[in-house]
Each structure stands twice: as C-alpha cells, then as structure tokens.
Amino acid sequence: MRLVLPLFVFALSAWGQVTYTRDISRVFQNKCQQCHREGDIGPFALDSYEAAMTWGEDIQRAIEERRMPPWKPVDGHGEFQHNFGLSDEERTMILNWYRGGAPEGDPRDLPEPLPATGEFRLGDPDVVVTMPQSYTLKRRGDTYRCFVIPTDFGADRYIDAFQVVPGNRQVVHHVILYLDTSGKARQMDGKDGEPGYDCFGGPGDGIPLSLSSMAGGWVPGMFPNRLPAGVGTLLPKNVDIIMQVHYYPGGRTNQEDQTRVGLYFAQGEVNKRLVYLPVVNTNFKIPPGAKNHNVTATFPIPPLFDATAYLISPHMHLLGTQFKLERIRPNGRAESLIYIDNWDFNWQGFYQYQEPVRLTAFDRLRATCTFDNSADNPRNPSNPLKTVGWGEGTEDEMCLGFLGVTFDRENLIPFNQPL
C-alpha cells in the first residue's frame, strides 16, 4: 500500500486536477447512489455537485470514520459480488478533493445517469408476496418486527432469486426471510393487537430452525442475483414466509410500511437445493467488563458431504466487534472466507462470492466472534453490566455464521420436480 498509493496520487496529478464532474461523481455513482437517491433510505440524494457541497462536512466525517459506505467485509478475505466499499485510493481522493477546495470541473465530463431499472431489477417476478396488513411505527427507536405471509402454491416450488421492495424506504433498514412449516408463527401473529410480532435475533422463540429455514435477506444497496443454473431455494408447499423487518424510524413518527418480496422461480430443472449451513456456538458466556472476549464456533465437514458455498452471512448482536470465518484444511492451513473488523448489527448483510468456494470432506469451518461487554461499548444494552450468553433477546448474544451451500452429492433430478 505504501507504494501503490503514491503511484495512484502521482497518476492523478499527471492526468490533471481531480474534479467532481470527471472523478468524484463516478465514485459516488458506483458506491453511494444505491442508497443515496431520491426516495431511498439515504437521508439525501448524492447525485449532483450541489448535493456533494451541501452535505460535504457529513460526507467527509462519515468517510474518515469509515462509517460510509457501509460495506463491512475487509478486502482480501473472500471476494464478493457488487462490492460497494471504498478502496483506500478512492477514500483518499475524495477527502483530498474536499480539502483542496472541491473543484467542480467541466459539466461535459459528467457520466451518464444510472439507468432507471424499475422497482424489480430482474424484471417482473413470477410471484409477489406482501405483508398482509400495513404496519404503523409509533416508537422512535429501532423496531424489530416479524410478519407472517402465508403462501398457497399448492406444491413445492424452487426459487433462484428474490428481491425485497420496502414499502417505506425511509424506515426499512434490513429484512431477513425465514420459512415456517410448523404453523407456530401464525399463532404468534397479532397477539399484541398489531400486525406481526416482536422479534430480534431470529424468527422468534419456539420457531423450529433447520438448514432450510432461511430463505435469504436484504440490506440497502444489495443487488438481487440469480443462483447458478440447477440451484434453487426450496419453498415447501403452503409454507409461511416470516419477514423479519428492522425498522429505523430515525425520529420519524407514525410511519407506515407494507414491504413486498418478488419471487423468481428457478428456470429449468433444479438438482441441488441451497441450504444455510450454520457455524454456531450456543454455549458461551461473556463476562461483564470484558472488552475483547473471543468466542469460537466450529463445524467439521464430514465424509461424503463435500459442498459448494455461494454466499455467507455473519450474525452477532450489539456486543459484537469483529467476526471472522475460516476454512481450516486437513493440513492445518487456514483460509479466511470473510472478515469484518468493525461489526455493526445495523449493517449485517448477505454476501455472495465472486466464485463459489469449495468445501471438501475433513475441512473444518471456524468462526471467531469478538465481543465488547464493557461500559466503554456505547451499544451495550445492559446497565448494570451482566454476564451475557446465547439468546434471541436484545440483551443476549449470538455467535453464528450462515453459509449458503449446496451438497455436491445431492441430485434431485431423479425425483419429481415442482411444476
């Protein structure tokens, strides 16, 4: 980096002065406008020189503190699609541009605006499911609410893509989709007189979880992708979809939301199911006052269960500070599959690999979760401090990494395929 950065700066100097129209606008367009556009969750649209100047102090502060863009994986620990994180060179260029007077440049150098894609980026879905009723937020703080969406497909179906469309982008922060065939979510729905039920770390106490219980998730800026040919997520016949929504009102009151999900049925025959392999530790205690407490979780790949990983999703709660998931080969060599060095519960995501990752028999998956249970952690929900263990509550914790995988030896084609 010590060599690359000076060369990068030298190249910019040789090419000419950095300007908004030629340089900065392209970075903002590629890395920021997924969220910072009119009507989306970003508090302002970042699509003009005037906006860059109006919000200049906030932009510089967020970039200096590495809070924005909220891309969490560290480079070099897995390569992921649609990476909207700023490189060190881009970060330096933006900050130096502001400090150098923020020249606008020639309007003829501006890039073409991003094309309008409509609300569904993959085209019209095969089915759109929606929250049965709109939900009104009355509280000012963060709200985690699960909504039960019945389906009536009449037969098992496979999907190879989905897209969440928030009903109110100003308050919908992220969404996780679970699948329930037990009927227990329906029993909890509306018990407090409002649509859905409160939930936090998962789909709710008593909801049975398995490798097929998760369908995916969405965060602002996330692009929908189709799974490779022959791979699909199973939606069992008449399954209930549990839509867990994190609402972040940000001081806005009486906001209404009715979020939808577009489902895309798999094209062609499906011979492998995508399931979510949990690398999890449910038996740990974080002492009060501990600042850098590590918890590890392991999962050995057994014989005959070679797998292919397509995506990964780390999960901790408010005490989490760092997360790493590694593949340990039989010879002891460790390969990092993801590393997040500045965990933020509000910006957890599902990250799809550029190239699928092979997991072979006798590999061992190891997750390392680092927690701060001290009074110095501004996110610590406990006062006074207390010992914290596994649980779904706000004051509980989790050490969990989901890998979206298929098993190499599975072949569904000889069996009946969903129509």
Side-chain angles (χ1 to χ4, degrees), residues 122 159-164 177 215-218 222 224-225 261-264:
L122 297 178
I159 61 171
D160 63 10
F162 69 91
Q163 182 183 341
V164 173
L177 303 176
W218 171 88
M222 181 174 173
N225 289 309
V261 182
L263 304 177
Y264 297 84

Side-chain angles (χ1 to χ4, degrees), residues 233-272:
T233 299
L234 173 65
L235 300 185
K237 175 183 177 180
N238 297 330
V239 69
D240 289 336
I241 298 175
I242 303 175
M243 180 191 294
Q244 184 198 57
V245 185
H246 170 198
Y247 291 109
Y248 182 71
R252 307 176 185 92
T253 57
N254 297 322
Q255 294 287 311
E256 289 198 6
D257 173 63
Q258 194 166 13
T259 289
R260 297 172 292 151
V261 182
L263 304 177
Y264 297 84
F265 294 141
Q267 301 172 341
E269 292 183 321
V270 172
N271 67 337
K272 295 188 185 299

Side-chain angles (χ1 to χ4, degrees), residues 259-399:
T259 289
R260 297 172 292 151
V261 182
L263 304 177
Y264 297 84
F265 294 141
Q267 301 172 341
E269 292 183 321
V270 172
N271 67 337
K272 295 188 185 299
R273 291 169 293 181
L274 185 79
V275 298
Y276 286 87
L277 191 69
V279 185
V280 57
N281 183 340
T282 61
N283 186 25
F284 61 87
K285 299 295 181 183
I286 309 170
K291 289 184 65 69
N292 292 289
H293 185 83
N294 286 332
V295 173
T296 59
T298 59
F299 187 97
I301 305 296
L304 305 181
F305 279 85
D306 304 78
T308 301
Y310 296 95
L311 53 88
I312 187 169
S313 179
H315 185 70
M316 300 185 291
H317 290 180
L318 302 175
L319 301 183
T321 59
Q322 296 186 16
F323 182 96
K324 177 180 279 190
L325 196 146
E326 301 166 288
R327 175 177 65 168
I328 313 299
R329 306 308 300 271
N331 62 7
R333 183 171 61 88
E335 174 189 354
S336 180
L337 301 184
I338 194 169
Y339 175 46
I340 294 176
D341 63 351
N342 184 22
W343 171 262
D344 186 342
F345 179 81
N346 294 324
W347 291 107
Q348 56 187 306
F350 287 72
Y351 304 100
Q352 188 162 345
Y353 288 107
Q354 290 276 13
E355 298 293 337
V357 176
R358 295 280 295 111
L359 304 174
T360 57
F362 305 109
D363 284 347
R364 185 164 51 92
L365 300 173
R366 179 177 66 194
T368 304
C369 306
T370 304
F371 299 99
D372 181 355
N373 191 18
S374 73
D376 295 331
N377 181 357
R379 298 189 181 98
N380 197 327
S382 300
N383 184 15
L385 301 178
K386 64 179 184 180
T387 299
V388 177
W390 171 272
E392 291 202 3
T394 308
E395 296 184 1
D396 299 319
E397 264 303 337
M398 289 189 179
C399 177

